[in-house]
Amino acid sequence: MKKKLGMLLAVLLTFCMTVGVFADAGKTQQVDYKTDYYMIVESPDGGVDMYSEADASSPKLNDELIPNGTAIHVEGETTDEAGKVWVYAQLHGMFGFLEENYLKPATLAEAVASELALYGSKDANYSITVNAKDRRFRLPV
């Protein structure tokens, strides 16, 4: 019995002491402040690139330009040494930095409509959380 209890305790301590590691989280993926809003890509080049760091010389995370009309979920902002604002964003499960000057602000409804128009309902992945009478409901969009 003591052996089983010792094993259980060892397993629990192992889980408690485990440190989560994110593959795309670099040392400089820090933001000046956290945010939560949406923007839509609007670039004269037809799209933008997503970078691993807030620097255009850092590795690109996308193979092709992220096309105009793509909705971006912004989770943080940072300003580089040159004064350029970068947004830390989630795009279809990938996290990285985009230059803010090629994005325009959007409401959630505008972001969903833009994604539906660009990718169709099959590939759009958005949901809305509604709080009502102390209960949370997730409604698919």
Side-chain angles (χ1 to χ4, degrees):
M1 182 69 174
K2 286 184 180 181
K3 192 173 188 178
K4 287 183 182 179
L5 184 58
M7 290 287 283
L8 178 62
L9 185 59
V11 170
L12 288 174
L13 285 174
T14 303
F15 282 119
C16 291
M17 297 176 77
T18 303
V19 177
V21 177
F22 297 96
D24 61 349
K27 282 186 176 180
T28 59
Q29 277 194 331
Q30 303 298 320
V31 294
D32 294 338
Y33 58 93
K34 294 184 178 191
T35 59
D36 186 21
Y37 61 89
Y38 294 90
M39 295 188 95
I40 296 177
V41 175
E42 191 174 89
S43 169
D45 298 329
V48 295
D49 287 312
M50 180 178 269
Y51 298 93
S52 62
E53 309 294 334
D55 183 356
S57 63
S58 69
K60 292 181 186 178
L61 299 177
N62 52 302
D63 295 328
E64 299 175 359
L65 286 177
I66 299 165
N68 285 345
T70 302
I72 305 292
H73 181 206
V74 178
E75 297 187 7
E77 293 182 7
T78 191
T79 304
D80 65 13
E81 294 82 26
K84 186 186 300 183
V85 177
W86 293 81
V87 297
Y88 181 71
Q90 177 185 6
L91 174 66
H92 302 268
M94 180 172 54
F95 292 87
F97 289 91
L98 298 104
E99 293 182 53
E100 185 189 47
N101 57 336
Y102 298 121
L103 306 172
K104 71 174 186 172
T107 63
L108 176 60
E110 292 168 335
V112 170
S114 182
E115 283 283 293
L116 289 173
L118 189 62
Y119 296 106
S121 62
K122 179 181 174 188
D123 295 324
N125 185 19
Y126 285 95
S127 61
I128 299 172
T129 302
V130 178
N131 292 324
K133 295 183 182 179
D134 296 332
R135 294 185 183 172
R136 293 186 77 135
F137 297 95
R138 273 180 77 89
L139 304 172
V141 175

